[in-house]
């Protein structure tokens, strides 16, 4: 008995002495064409390295599935589907889920968020790379291949019944992927972490001395504000992220399906809400909607937002202000 007590006392003593979690950091540059940063509080470098491997592995897996530019051995991905010439294609569950989400958001936004806009978006992509403007006739021709009704989805397959159509997941893929990676970390017992992938940040738990503090960029440079969050995602869509200047005018990467030109309502929109995929879909949607329609959409989503207008005027929901220091 004495021996058992001694062992127990020793165990309690050892537990009491376990080192306080330390902050660790890793950066990946090979997923979603952007820089991803993973920060976590762990008890050792080994524990962090194991978690980092999981995050990176999940982001790489989803990057390959959602990639519209490249195919990869052993998987059927978004690029394969776009190139299927209208044939029914069996695709991974994550792609089915993302496509269903895209169809849902098309309805929610009256067509302003449209994952079937791929043919128009790829023309703009080429033009940004070449520093030219798209040919009007070509734009109109491609706009004829963006009807979301032409996506037929079953439990495990997708058919693009217009073979001239292509899907683009840029508006929603990163938020979905970062949310999935966060779930895996939680399943593996990690509590205090943040993942930042391009403009998409997801946070869990708290730093030992407070919440996570996320700086939000001013479209003209520097920070416009800082928000404190815990167990929430913070996502920004902005005209300063991917753009080309032609004759002094900025042509950026978020296209208004009505005009087929870059959306001009806002310079940036930031969304805060618990669900990372939702935050990503919302930020791009709000960027393409006016304030009134955006507010209506927000009411259904339990999310907060900040809009920066063309002349730098800032509008925030009251709940957004609550997150600012
Ligand atoms: P985000 O940075 O999340 O706002 O997403 C921007 C990306 O979404 C762009 O780079 C395009 O790939 C894609 N995109 C642009 N405009 C639209 C739109 N109106 N509907 C759906 N996706 C879009
Ligand atoms: Mg988005």
């Amino acid at each position: 008995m004495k021996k058992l007590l001694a062992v127990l006392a020793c165990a309690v003593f050892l537990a009491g002495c376990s080192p306080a979690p330390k902050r660790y950091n890793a950066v990946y540059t090979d997923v979603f064409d952007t820089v991803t940063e993973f920060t976590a509080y762990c008890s050792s470098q080994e524990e962090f390295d194991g978690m980092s491997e999981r995050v990176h592995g999940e982001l790489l897996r989803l990057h390959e599935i959602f990639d519209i530019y490249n195919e990869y051995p052993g998987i059927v991905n978004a690029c394969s589907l776009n190139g299927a010439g209208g044939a029914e294609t069996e695709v991974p569950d994550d792609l089915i889920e993302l496509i269903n989400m895209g169809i849902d958001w098309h309805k929610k936004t009256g067509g302003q968020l449209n994952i079937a806009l791929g043919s128009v978006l790829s023309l703009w992509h080429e033009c940004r790379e070449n520093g030219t403007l798209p040919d009007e006739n070509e734009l109109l021709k491609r706009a004829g291949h963006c009807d979301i009704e032409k996506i037929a989805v079953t439990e495990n397959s997708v058919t693009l019944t217009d073979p001239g159509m292509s899907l683009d997941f840029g508006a929603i893929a990163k938020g979905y992927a970062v949310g999935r990676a966060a779930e895996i970390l939680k399943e593996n017992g990690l509590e205090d972490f943040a993942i930042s992938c391009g403009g998409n940040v997801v946070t869990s738990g708290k730093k030992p001395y407070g919440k996570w503090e996320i700086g939000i960029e001013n479209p003209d440079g520097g920070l416009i504000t800082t928000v404190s969050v815990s167990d929430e995602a913070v996502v920004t869509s902005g005209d300063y992220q991917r753009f080309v200047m032609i004759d002094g005018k900025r042509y950026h990467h978020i296209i208004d399906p009505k005009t087929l030109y870059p959306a001009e309502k806002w310079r940036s929109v930031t969304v805060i809400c618990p669900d990372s995929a939702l935050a990503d879909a919302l930020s791009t949607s709000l960027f393409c909607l006016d304030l009134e329609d955006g507010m209506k959409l927000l009411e259904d989503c339990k999310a907060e937002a900040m809009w920066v207008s063309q002349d730098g005027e800032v509008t925030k929901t009251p709940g957004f202000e609550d997150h600012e220091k």
Side-chain angles (χ1 to χ4, degrees):
M1 183 63 183
K2 236 184 197 171
K3 198 170 173 194
L4 179 65
L5 278 178
V7 170
L8 278 179
C10 191
V12 168
F13 178 75
L14 283 176
C17 286
S18 67
K22 268 176 38 190
R23 186 185 172 112
Y24 294 90
N25 199 259
V27 172
Y28 325 118
T29 53
D30 54 357
V31 288
F32 296 103
D33 305 320
T34 186
V35 177
T36 301
E37 204 177 338
F38 169 48
T39 308
Y41 285 82
C42 290
S43 47
S44 67
Q45 182 72 52
E46 290 69 39
E47 186 196 2
F48 177 77
D49 289 346
M51 295 296 173
S52 173
E53 218 170 277
R54 289 184 176 100
V55 175
H56 190 207
E58 180 65 356
L59 292 178
L60 268 176
R61 185 182 76 82
L62 292 171
H63 165 87
E64 291 188 358
I65 292 174
F66 301 150
D67 192 341
I68 58 170
Y69 300 108
N70 309 286
E71 290 188 276
Y72 301 89
I75 63 161
V76 175
N77 71 353
C79 183
S80 331
L81 176 63
N82 282 341
E88 181 173 5
T89 307
E90 223 176 280
V91 299
D93 290 350
D94 290 291
L95 194 49
I96 299 274
E97 202 170 319
L98 202 69
I99 290 172
N100 281 328
M101 184 182 162
I103 293 171
D104 194 31
W105 278 84
H106 183 271
K107 270 196 218 107
K108 282 189 170 130
T109 60
Q112 288 300 93
L113 192 110
N114 184 4
I115 57 164
L117 206 60
S119 57
V120 166
L121 295 175
S122 65
L123 181 59
W124 274 106
H125 183 87
E126 281 163 33
C127 290
R128 279 198 307 278
E129 305 260 291
N130 301 334
T132 55
L133 286 177
D135 177 72
E136 278 291 323
N137 290 329
E138 185 62 22
L139 252 189
L140 287 173
K141 197 171 102 196
R142 293 189 183 210
H145 296 286
C146 301
D147 180 0
I148 200 138
E149 302 285 334
K150 303 262 166 72
I151 310 175
V153 191
T154 72
E155 255 185 25
N156 61 356
S157 75
V158 183
T159 314
L160 305 182
T161 59
D162 171 0
M165 165 189 281
S166 67
L167 306 184
D168 180 301
F169 302 102
I172 53 177
K174 288 201 291 281
Y176 178 97
V178 167
R180 279 277 184 273
E183 272 170 31
I184 287 178
L185 291 176
K186 285 181 195 164
E187 281 162 20
N188 281 278
L190 191 64
E191 285 171 7
D192 301 319
F193 63 85
I195 310 168
S196 169
C197 176
N200 292 248
V201 178
V202 67
T203 64
S204 171
K206 293 179 182 192
K207 291 191 292 174
Y209 305 108
K211 295 186 171 189
W212 292 96
E213 274 163 33
I214 312 297
I216 297 172
E217 277 180 84
N218 184 332
D220 286 324
L223 290 186
I224 199 161
T225 187
T226 302
V227 292
S228 300
V229 285
S230 179
D231 297 319
E232 281 168 307
V234 183
V235 178
T236 299
S237 292
D239 72 0
Y240 56 92
Q241 293 163 335
R242 288 170 199 224
F243 66 91
V244 63
M245 297 297 289
I246 298 174
D247 294 334
K249 191 169 157 60
R250 182 190 298 266
Y251 294 89
H252 64 83
H253 68 144
I254 304 175
I255 303 301
D256 183 337
K258 289 201 178 106
T259 63
L260 305 177
Y261 273 76
E264 288 191 323
K265 293 187 178 73
W266 309 104
R267 298 243 25 226
S268 76
V269 181
T270 300
V271 170
I272 304 176
C273 73
D275 184 323
S276 165
L278 178 77
D280 193 6
L282 250 183
S283 71
T284 315
S285 299
L286 295 186
F287 193 93
C288 295
L289 292 169
D290 62 27
L291 193 62
E292 200 185 332
D293 287 337
M295 287 283 194
K296 268 191 224 144
L297 189 59
L298 274 179
E299 277 169 25
D300 301 335
C301 296
K302 288 201 181 130
E304 307 301 338
M306 175 180 80
W307 294 259
V308 181
S309 73
Q310 292 294 343
D311 53 14
E313 199 186 316
V314 177
T315 308
K316 298 166 191 169
T317 57
F320 190 97
E321 284 171 331
D322 294 342
H323 287 81
E324 293 176 288
K325 284 203 298 176

